[in-house]
Amino acid sequence: MSQSALARLRLLAPLTVAAALGLGTLPALAQTAPTTGSGACSGIRFQLANPDPGAMLEPGAYVLEGVATDQRGTQGTGIDHVEFFLDSREEGGVKVGSAVPARTTGPLGPNSFQATIELPDMIGGHDLFAYAHSSFNGAESVISVPIALGEDVDKAFETAPPTTVSEMCLTGSGAVTSTTTTAPTSTTTTTTPTTSTTTTSTSASTIRFEVGNPSPGDTIHVGGYVIEGTASDSAAKQGTGIDRIEVFLDSREEGGMLIGQGSFGSGTTWSATVELPDNQTGVHSLFFYAHSTASDKEVVESVPVTVEP
């Protein structure tokens, strides 16, 4: 059965917005009557081209495409990152990938993105969650798509997965500010999984990794900066099970800069003194890579920040 206790959520942007983004008729994107966000998400337009609700996907690499923008943003698309989880992040879901829309334009035109996620070998019914984070106010627009992983839909779900889609907005504090359900029109999307793999956001359910500071959207300054957090792998027979924590300014896989490494103090608490260069002011993301010796997996977290002199 689907493991999410939240409603299946999927925000579908209006055709008028799609046209304004230069996306033509967008045949691969679900198209509905115009929907308007409210409150903290009023300027966000977030849309996935694939997968369709109830699709059967295989474990391994899978390519996702979509559009994400916040018209209130002053730089880039207004969306600084999109994160993907297998099942709800708030209920312990597994992070399977991420995308930075402003860094690389996807195949659907301006404000579009493409991401290769890594689906674990967790056979059954799940919800694929996507979180689009606004650089304007830290709010998140959330999409959830029910999928069958590694087996037929009729085996993965006791009852047929829902065909309705919904919008949910999370404020910077994590509060739900609005929820809207919409019935999508019939569309056909064909996406062929690639055979390549990525370690950018591969994670294991036994690894617990948290970054205590900075918070998303914080302003930090060039020079030395101390970061703290916790990290452990419950699969480890002794110690924390985490042998290294690396901190990069922007994604390591896309040429980001190594600015520090974490070391453990007492228990599972770690700290790192990073050095922020004075020639890298502006909007960035701090990427944290925690590697486990117990599972030989790597968990990745990213925090959008503004670096100032």
Side-chain angles (χ1 to χ4, degrees), residues 32 40 85 92 103 111 117 150 175 200 205 221 229 269 284 291 307:
T32 67
F85 283 76
R103 187 166 296 155
N111 301 316
I117 64 174
T200 302
S205 60
H221 298 275
T269 301
H284 294 273
H291 182 269
V307 179

Side-chain angles (χ1 to χ4, degrees), residues 59-84:
Y62 180 79
V63 178
L64 278 169
E65 297 174 354
V67 174
T69 181
D70 188 339
Q71 62 189 12
R72 301 165 298 180
T74 58
Q75 293 183 333
T77 66
I79 300 296
D80 48 23
H81 65 273
V82 180
E83 294 186 331
F84 304 96

Side-chain angles (χ1 to χ4, degrees), residues 38-46 69-70 72 78-82 89 130-142 167-178 216-217 304:
S38 61
C41 292
S42 61
I44 299 177
R45 295 296 179 266
F46 184 34
T69 181
D70 188 339
R72 301 165 298 180
I79 300 296
D80 48 23
H81 65 273
V82 180
R89 177 186 64 192
Y131 298 79
H133 183 272
S134 170
S135 60
F136 172 74
N137 62 0
E140 289 180 300
S141 181
V142 185
E167 168 190 358
M168 183 171 72
C169 177
L170 298 180
T171 66
S173 63
V176 179
T177 61
S178 62

Side-chain angles (χ1 to χ4, degrees), residues 100-119:
V100 181
R103 187 166 296 155
T104 304
T105 301
L108 302 177
N111 301 316
S112 69
F113 63 87
Q114 184 180 79
T116 301
I117 64 174
E118 188 73 17
L119 295 169

Side-chain angles (χ1 to χ4, degrees), residues 41-283:
C41 292
S42 61
I44 299 177
R45 295 296 179 266
F46 184 34
Q47 199 171 6
L48 289 183
N50 61 291
D52 290 329
M56 187 187 79
L57 306 181
E58 295 295 336
Y62 180 79
V63 178
L64 278 169
E65 297 174 354
V67 174
T69 181
D70 188 339
Q71 62 189 12
R72 301 165 298 180
T74 58
Q75 293 183 333
T77 66
I79 300 296
D80 48 23
H81 65 273
V82 180
E83 294 186 331
F84 304 96
F85 283 76
L86 187 64
D87 299 318
S88 169
R89 177 186 64 192
E90 290 71 23
E91 298 181 2
V94 177
K95 187 175 180 180
V96 294
S98 63
V100 181
R103 187 166 296 155
T104 304
T105 301
L108 302 177
N111 301 316
S112 69
F113 63 87
Q114 184 180 79
T116 301
I117 64 174
E118 188 73 17
L119 295 169
D121 190 15
M122 296 172 62
I123 307 302
H126 296 275
D127 290 311
L128 182 62
F129 275 75
Y131 298 79
H133 183 272
S134 170
S135 60
F136 172 74
N137 62 0
E140 289 180 300
S141 181
V142 185
I143 293 173
S144 174
V145 184
I147 61 170
L149 188 56
E151 66 181 2
D152 292 338
V153 175
D154 57 353
K155 292 182 180 180
F157 297 90
E158 290 184 358
T159 58
T163 58
T164 56
V165 295
S166 301
E167 168 190 358
M168 183 171 72
C169 177
L170 298 180
T171 66
S173 63
V176 179
T177 61
S178 62
T179 302
T180 306
T181 301
T182 308
T185 58
S186 177
T187 60
T188 301
T189 301
T190 302
T191 302
T192 303
T194 64
T195 56
S196 62
T197 60
T198 177
T199 60
T200 302
S201 296
T202 302
S203 60
S205 60
T206 57
I207 299 176
R208 294 293 178 264
F209 181 55
E210 294 184 0
V211 178
N213 65 291
S215 298
D218 277 0
T219 296
I220 56 180
H221 298 275
V222 300
Y225 180 75
V226 178
I227 301 173
E228 296 180 341
T230 60
S232 64
D233 189 340
S234 60
K237 295 182 179 179
Q238 61 180 5
T240 64
I242 305 298
D243 61 345
R244 67 176 183 268
I245 298 172
E246 295 179 328
V247 186
F248 280 73
L249 186 63
D250 298 319
S251 169
R252 177 184 65 191
E253 288 71 25
E254 298 184 12
M257 179 185 303
L258 178 65
I259 57 175
Q261 294 182 319
S263 59
F264 282 94
S266 60
T268 61
T269 301
W270 62 269
S271 66
T273 300
V274 301
E275 191 69 24
L276 296 161
D278 57 11
N279 63 346
Q280 295 292 324
T281 57
V283 177

